[in-house]
Amino acid sequence: MTAYIDREQTKAKHFILRGYLQELAYKVLRSWDIAYVDGFSGPWESKTADFSDTSFMIALGVLKEAQRIIYEQTRERRKVRCFFSEKSASAYQKMFAAVAPFHRPEEGFEVKTFHGEFVEAVGEIRTFIGTAFPLVFIDPTGWTEYPLAKVAPLFAYAKCEVLINFMYGHISRFLTHPDERIIASLDPILGGPGWQERLDPTMKKGPAVEKLFRETLKAAGKFGYVVSTRIDKSTEERPHFFLAYGTKDRAGLKAFRETEYKALREHAKNRSAAMTRKRDDRANMASLFADFEAEQKEASIDDLVDEQKALAKEMLLEMLSAAPDGIVFVGVLDAMLQAFMLRETNVKDVCVELAKKGKVENTWSPGGRKPTDHTVIKPASAQNP
């Protein structure tokens, strides 16, 4: 899609948003109403006349389609509520005009817009959410406009999901800035003053700050799980941002990891195309190896998964050394999905591969080829005490 040329990282973000919304909507709308909240709606850098390359239009399209399909299947029409906030007057007017036709409360589809600072809308948003299942999307241009203590009321629901664009590329440039006011500007998203002392001393400062952000978000929203996806710059081998995801449900975490894997494979191909385009522009020639290079980039994601699986095997053996009676598979799954960029099928493969090497007991055969939720994963020594 030409709208995303030189915006490959935005395409990856939108891929994740679309994929996860589809997973969420088709499940949630069978039992609950859903409320989607976009805190920084834009549009920004849109290249299409119909704003199809914006987060708000992607969300409207996915949610409208999900509502229609579920109604056709169940003859029940759950309500969808969408709240879009934007402080820029010019961007707000464009967004308002684009989303207004979707506001059809008689069809159970409501759209509300807010012109102003996102934090000023928190009370109004809570009223708008009501008893619906909220998904909150926070995609700012910086880090000072969503103090977690002030937006935390949006997460105070038994069921709630959040996606936040942690602007790593911008933030990492200021971590050692001599201006104390800039350092203090990070307090609201890193748990308050003194955040430097709370950084993991075993990590480099940039990754340690991203980790502290996830920990702070988890505490602020009382989330059961918070993970993040690294999205690299289009033509450079360094992160542009991390898309942090918080949920209170294991099913959400599993769905996110599936969407993440698909998104990163797609992003790898798009980055390869961007790098080829940049190189060819400099050389004024078309590359003969573009398809091969794209395949290599895509394969690199699977290499990363293999590396993550190797680390997961080490972690599982350490966990079992402290639990000689074994650990129920869902406990292993919880730990692995939070610690590594893995999907449920990868975690099952980790158990199977360790069993083949005689390091864990095969407790799932002959009933199945892989563990199930209630399978107890035991160290091999438990077989031969």
Side-chain angles (χ1 to χ4, degrees), residues 162-190:
V162 63
L163 284 167
I164 300 181
N165 183 351
F166 181 74
M167 297 296 291
Y168 182 89
H170 297 318
I171 292 171
S172 61
R173 294 202 300 267
F174 294 100
L175 296 181
T176 57
H177 200 283
D179 191 331
E180 293 183 359
R181 291 172 300 177
I182 291 179
I183 297 299
S185 72
L186 289 162
D187 292 352
I189 64 169
L190 296 177

Side-chain angles (χ1 to χ4, degrees), residues 232-234 236-237 267-275 297:
D232 285 343
K233 292 181 71 67
S234 296
E236 299 177 35
E237 298 295 342
H267 187 46
K269 288 196 298 184
N270 294 333
R271 289 183 66 236
S272 178
M275 291 177 182
K297 278 287 184 184

Side-chain angles (χ1 to χ4, degrees), residues 22-32 62-78 80:
Q22 288 170 338
E23 288 277 349
L24 180 77
Y26 286 107
K27 292 177 181 177
V28 171
L29 284 174
R30 296 184 184 278
S31 304
W32 296 280
V62 170
L63 295 172
K64 190 73 176 175
E65 180 69 1
Q67 185 192 52
R68 180 189 66 79
I69 290 175
I70 291 174
Y71 175 73
E72 290 177 354
Q73 294 174 345
T74 67
R75 308 315 295 176
E76 292 186 21
R77 193 187 303 278
R78 291 285 177 178
V80 174

Side-chain angles (χ1 to χ4, degrees), residues 324-345:
D325 293 332
I327 304 170
V328 176
F329 177 74
V330 289
V332 174
L333 184 65
D334 275 1
M336 299 300 174
L337 293 188
Q338 291 180 84
F340 305 108
M341 194 202 84
L342 296 173
R343 296 165 289 152
E344 182 176 18
T345 187

Side-chain angles (χ1 to χ4, degrees), residues 107-122:
E107 297 177 6
F109 203 99
E110 300 177 52
V111 177
K112 188 174 181 62
T113 61
F114 179 85
H115 179 213
E117 298 285 349
F118 177 48
V119 292
E120 295 174 357
V122 168

Side-chain angles (χ1 to χ4, degrees), residues 16-130:
I16 291 175
L17 176 64
R18 179 183 288 106
Y20 187 72
L21 265 180
Q22 288 170 338
E23 288 277 349
L24 180 77
Y26 286 107
K27 292 177 181 177
V28 171
L29 284 174
R30 296 184 184 278
S31 304
W32 296 280
D33 298 340
I34 192 168
Y36 174 77
V37 178
D38 189 334
F40 300 85
S41 299
W44 302 111
E45 299 183 2
S46 175
K47 307 294 186 190
T48 59
D50 60 358
F51 299 113
S52 57
D53 59 339
T54 64
S55 60
F56 63 80
M57 198 58 75
I58 289 169
L60 287 169
V62 170
L63 295 172
K64 190 73 176 175
E65 180 69 1
Q67 185 192 52
R68 180 189 66 79
I69 290 175
I70 291 174
Y71 175 73
E72 290 177 354
Q73 294 174 345
T74 67
R75 308 315 295 176
E76 292 186 21
R77 193 187 303 278
R78 291 285 177 178
K79 292 181 179 179
V80 174
R81 300 183 179 120
C82 297
F83 191 102
F84 300 108
S85 170
E86 177 52 53
K87 71 174 184 178
S88 164
S90 59
Y92 174 81
Q93 290 301 324
K94 293 176 183 177
M95 181 266 291
F96 177 81
V99 305
F102 288 84
H103 180 59
R104 297 182 180 180
E106 70 280 2
E107 297 177 6
F109 203 99
E110 300 177 52
V111 177
K112 188 174 181 62
T113 61
F114 179 85
H115 179 213
E117 298 285 349
F118 177 48
V119 292
E120 295 174 357
V122 168
E124 187 174 336
I125 294 171
R126 279 186 56 84
T127 300
F128 185 70
I129 290 172

